[in-house]
Amino acid sequence: MRSLFSSLLAPLLAALLMASASAAALDLDEGWEYRWGDSPFRADGTPAWVEEPASEDAWHSIAFPSNPPGRDGHKHAWFRITLPEAEWRDPVLYIYSVDLITQVWLGDERIYQYGRFDALGEGRFEGWPWHMISLPETFAGRTLYFRVFSDYTDIGLWGEVKLMDRPDLLTYILKRSAGDLVVSAFLMLLALLAFVFALIQANRRSFVGIGLFALASSIMLLAETQASQLLLDMPLLWDYLVAAGYYTLPVAMGLMLEHWFAEQRPRLLRRIWQLHLGYVAGAIGLAVAGIIDLSSTFPPFDALLVVSLIGMFTTIVVHLGVLNGEQRLIVLSYGLFALVLLIDMAVAHGLLGWRRVPVNGGALGFALAIVMISLWHYRQTQRELQRLNHSLEQQVTERTQALEQIVMKLQAFSYEDALTGVHNRRYFDELVEHEAALARRNGTPLTLAMIDIDHFKQFNDREGHEAGDTVLIGLGRLLTHHFRDSDEVCRMGGEEFVVVMPGATAAMVEARLAELMEILGRTRFRYRDRVLDTLSISCGIASYPEHASEPLTLIGLADKALYSAKHRGRARVETYA
């Protein structure tokens, strides 16, 4: 156990001792000198200025090696500093950025170069990376020279210059980049969601504007973060991405503002985002084609952005009353982000002293505003969905009941004779099969009575079909009330009716029909205040099992009995024999 403990503790103690032995990072913000122009080079390739004591008067002190006074069109400058003494295990010089390309000499030895210098000592822009320059252990007390070329608005080193250990520098870079990486990932997710909503929602222009703004901000933060150089050491590519994201921001802002102020027809907003869209395409396209340097596209854009922001926010102030609460919150987040961008721009152009501007904070503020609005919308949507679900459930219940009633009515109509209101032939066919099956299974009687109005054709010809319909309706009601509740009256067609009587014998039905004929003889039907002639009926009866061994044959048997009643003089009841 003791040996295991020792094996785990030893590396930890060693790491602590190494960390305590290394010196803290040292800012090189004193002792700098500068000199305009470019040094001649000797035959062996070393610059003459690193070994010319006679030219000491040409060097001038400067607080920081950037933008010396009296540039007057100079594109070359030299800077130097005497390196202090300190103890580092793996010493490196860290430079935040250089405008634009540089060579670094330690005495007459070139130890670093960024960019390509031609015979005239000039070169093209190759990006704005941070620089890590390895130093020999014997650097203390020696002079470090920087040869710089720049046709940009700024010339020299920019941001920070530090002496430190390599591991400490990498840790420093990662810590400073962590916030940007998190915010960039968050904005990328927000952009994806916004574009998805743009595909499925009605107000697509608003979601496109939000998505484009989040995407541009995310790309800009990711490309600007120093950790990106550790992922892929292609500075110019990252700067192209920075430019694309940075230049797209006002396009996204203009799209969203134009959508919100659509009723006011804001031509200014449309012209602003269209102008910036053209600038994105033109600047990036010309730089990729090699016609211009990418670096030269930033100053004009910065000037254009200032004018555009003034125009946008003037429009917002004039029409602020049109916006709702959530739109005002987004505008506020836009405004804060724009303010951060303006401060960062001022630092980049030397209008403010160098400092790290929290651009990711402005972007995060925008993202949080969108998230807050989205959560509020989600809550409102959930409440609305609950209300709609409750309302839909009520509507479904009501419509289901109404549908059931309709189905019942349709079913009743499908089995009901439209004229008389009694059951029709379709119902009779299904009823007979059902009652026949019950009679067979239970061994109970089943009787059918066929009823036909005598001489009904002559009655129609004499009185008219409307009077005939009145008689059919009246007879249907009379039959329904005369027979038992268990009996079913159906109209077979024309003037013919049939009564299905489960459990009744032929004798019982004969008695019931005899009573019916007496009642019908006393009944007078009226049509249009006119009493119609008396009508008589003929009836045929067939019963199971008395007359048939199969109930379904009762239909034909009852019909034969009816024919017999007609043949024997009508107005009578005949039972099948």
Side-chain angles (χ1 to χ4, degrees), residues 119-432:
L120 298 176
E122 299 181 355
R124 292 182 62 86
F125 171 72
E126 297 192 20
W128 279 303
W130 55 273
H131 302 269
M132 181 172 63
I133 303 171
S134 299
L135 296 174
E137 295 181 359
T138 58
F139 69 85
R142 300 175 65 182
T143 303
L144 195 66
Y145 295 87
F146 291 84
R147 178 195 186 195
V148 178
F149 165 78
S150 176
D151 54 1
Y152 184 56
T153 55
D154 298 316
I155 187 170
L157 284 59
W158 192 79
E160 299 173 303
V161 181
K162 294 176 180 288
L163 271 173
M164 58 200 310
D165 266 317
R166 189 185 306 270
D168 294 338
L169 173 57
L170 296 178
T171 302
Y172 177 72
I173 294 295
L174 292 175
K175 284 183 178 180
R176 292 209 312 188
S177 302
D180 289 342
L181 292 174
V182 171
V183 175
S184 176
F186 187 66
L187 287 170
M188 188 65 72
L189 177 61
L190 182 62
L192 177 62
L193 293 175
F195 287 135
V196 170
F197 280 117
L199 294 175
I200 61 179
Q201 295 290 335
N203 54 339
R204 296 183 179 181
R205 181 70 66 85
S206 178
F207 282 111
V208 168
I210 292 174
L212 190 59
F213 189 91
L215 178 62
S217 302
S218 174
I219 292 174
M220 185 180 70
L221 285 176
L222 175 62
E224 276 193 330
T225 186
Q226 291 182 307
S228 62
Q229 194 171 325
L230 299 176
L231 298 174
L232 184 63
D233 190 15
M234 298 182 65
L236 192 56
L237 172 62
W238 290 116
D239 284 326
Y240 269 104
L241 292 176
V242 169
Y246 184 39
Y247 297 169
T248 303
L249 289 178
V251 178
M253 295 173 69
L255 280 172
M256 182 171 292
L257 292 174
E258 183 191 11
H259 171 74
W260 289 344
F261 295 113
E263 295 182 359
Q264 287 71 33
R265 302 181 182 278
R267 293 183 179 179
L268 176 61
L269 294 175
R270 175 171 295 183
R271 295 293 180 267
I272 287 175
W273 73 256
Q274 289 177 343
L275 176 62
H276 280 276
L277 182 61
Y279 192 91
V280 174
I284 301 297
L286 291 174
V288 170
I291 299 175
I292 59 176
D293 277 341
L294 180 65
S295 61
S296 64
T297 66
F298 281 89
F301 175 82
D302 290 339
L304 179 62
L305 180 60
V306 171
V307 176
S308 299
L309 289 176
I310 293 174
M312 286 183 182
F313 283 97
T314 300
T315 303
I316 291 173
V317 171
V318 172
H319 300 98
L320 190 61
V322 179
L323 301 181
N324 56 34
E326 62 189 57
Q327 291 172 336
R328 291 183 182 185
L329 179 60
I330 294 179
V331 167
L332 177 61
S333 66
Y334 270 146
L336 293 175
F337 191 30
L339 179 61
V340 171
L341 288 178
L342 290 175
I343 295 174
D344 188 53
M345 186 191 308
V347 172
H349 291 287
L351 301 177
L352 294 175
W354 190 90
R355 68 198 70 185
R356 287 186 58 82
V357 180
V359 177
N360 61 352
L364 182 60
F366 162 77
L368 291 178
I370 296 297
V371 170
M372 289 172 59
I373 291 171
S374 300
L375 291 176
W376 183 82
H377 270 292
Y378 177 77
R379 183 180 178 186
Q380 293 298 109
T381 301
Q382 290 299 109
R383 289 181 176 178
E384 185 66 17
L385 284 176
Q386 291 178 355
R387 188 188 66 79
L388 288 176
N389 284 336
H390 181 69
S391 176
L392 285 174
E393 287 176 358
Q394 289 182 331
Q395 292 181 19
V396 169
T397 302
E398 294 172 357
R399 293 192 177 186
T400 300
Q401 293 175 350
L403 183 60
E404 289 176 351
Q405 293 176 357
I406 292 174
V407 170
M408 292 175 64
K409 289 181 180 180
L410 290 174
Q411 189 174 13
F413 289 152
S414 66
Y415 289 121
E416 184 179 286
D417 179 58
L419 177 64
T420 62
V422 300
H423 294 306
N424 57 18
R425 176 62 184 266
R426 178 183 177 186
Y427 181 83
F428 169 76
D429 291 338
E430 295 182 9
L431 176 66
V432 167

Side-chain angles (χ1 to χ4, degrees), residues 363-567:
L364 182 60
F366 162 77
L368 291 178
I370 296 297
V371 170
M372 289 172 59
I373 291 171
S374 300
L375 291 176
W376 183 82
H377 270 292
Y378 177 77
R379 183 180 178 186
Q380 293 298 109
T381 301
Q382 290 299 109
R383 289 181 176 178
E384 185 66 17
L385 284 176
Q386 291 178 355
R387 188 188 66 79
L388 288 176
N389 284 336
H390 181 69
S391 176
L392 285 174
E393 287 176 358
Q394 289 182 331
Q395 292 181 19
V396 169
T397 302
E398 294 172 357
R399 293 192 177 186
T400 300
Q401 293 175 350
L403 183 60
E404 289 176 351
Q405 293 176 357
I406 292 174
V407 170
M408 292 175 64
K409 289 181 180 180
L410 290 174
Q411 189 174 13
F413 289 152
S414 66
Y415 289 121
E416 184 179 286
D417 179 58
L419 177 64
T420 62
V422 300
H423 294 306
N424 57 18
R425 176 62 184 266
R426 178 183 177 186
Y427 181 83
F428 169 76
D429 291 338
E430 295 182 9
L431 176 66
V432 167
E433 290 187 2
H434 174 70
E435 294 297 338
L438 289 178
R440 281 194 302 269
R441 184 169 62 250
N442 300 328
T444 55
L446 175 64
T447 302
L448 265 63
M450 291 285 189
I451 301 172
D452 187 82
I453 302 175
D454 296 329
H455 303 295
F456 190 67
K457 184 178 184 304
Q458 290 86 341
F459 179 87
N460 274 337
D461 293 341
R462 185 175 65 254
E463 301 291 346
H465 288 280
E466 291 184 358
D469 289 345
T470 302
V471 170
L472 290 174
I473 294 171
L475 179 60
R477 291 174 181 172
L478 180 60
L479 294 175
T480 301
H481 288 92
H482 181 72
F483 290 96
R484 302 173 302 174
D485 291 339
S486 59
D487 299 336
E488 295 286 355
V489 178
C490 303
R491 183 185 177 196
M492 299 295 284
E495 68 274 20
E496 187 176 25
F497 293 82
V498 63
V499 184
V500 181
M501 290 169 280
T505 62
M508 294 169 59
V509 176
E510 284 182 8
R512 179 66 67 174
L513 288 174
E515 293 175 2
L516 176 65
M517 296 184 73
E518 291 180 5
I519 294 171
L520 185 61
R522 299 191 298 269
T523 301
R524 296 292 184 270
F525 296 107
R526 302 177 65 87
Y527 173 67
R528 292 183 179 177
D529 298 328
R530 180 165 56 88
V531 178
L532 300 175
D533 295 339
T534 303
L535 293 174
S536 63
I537 58 174
S538 298
C539 307
I541 300 172
S543 183
Y544 168 83
E546 183 178 352
H547 303 127
S549 59
E550 171 53 51
L552 291 177
T553 61
L554 292 178
I555 301 172
L557 300 180
D559 191 60
K560 289 182 179 180
L562 175 62
Y563 179 78
S564 177
K566 293 280 188 181
H567 184 68

Side-chain angles (χ1 to χ4, degrees), residues 15-38:
L16 291 174
L17 289 173
M18 292 175 65
S20 62
S22 63
L26 180 63
D27 290 318
L28 298 184
D29 51 8
E30 294 180 355
W32 287 97
E33 294 180 312
Y34 76 94
R35 182 174 178 177
W36 285 118
D38 196 12

Side-chain angles (χ1 to χ4, degrees), residues 35 38-56 59 78 80 103 105 107-108 145 147:
R35 182 174 178 177
D38 196 12
S39 171
F41 282 75
R42 299 190 181 97
D44 60 359
T46 59
W49 286 1
V50 302
E51 293 181 355
E52 283 187 2
S55 64
E56 288 298 316
W59 293 92
W78 279 67
R80 71 181 183 182
Q103 287 179 343
W105 297 78
D108 58 358
Y145 295 87
R147 178 195 186 195

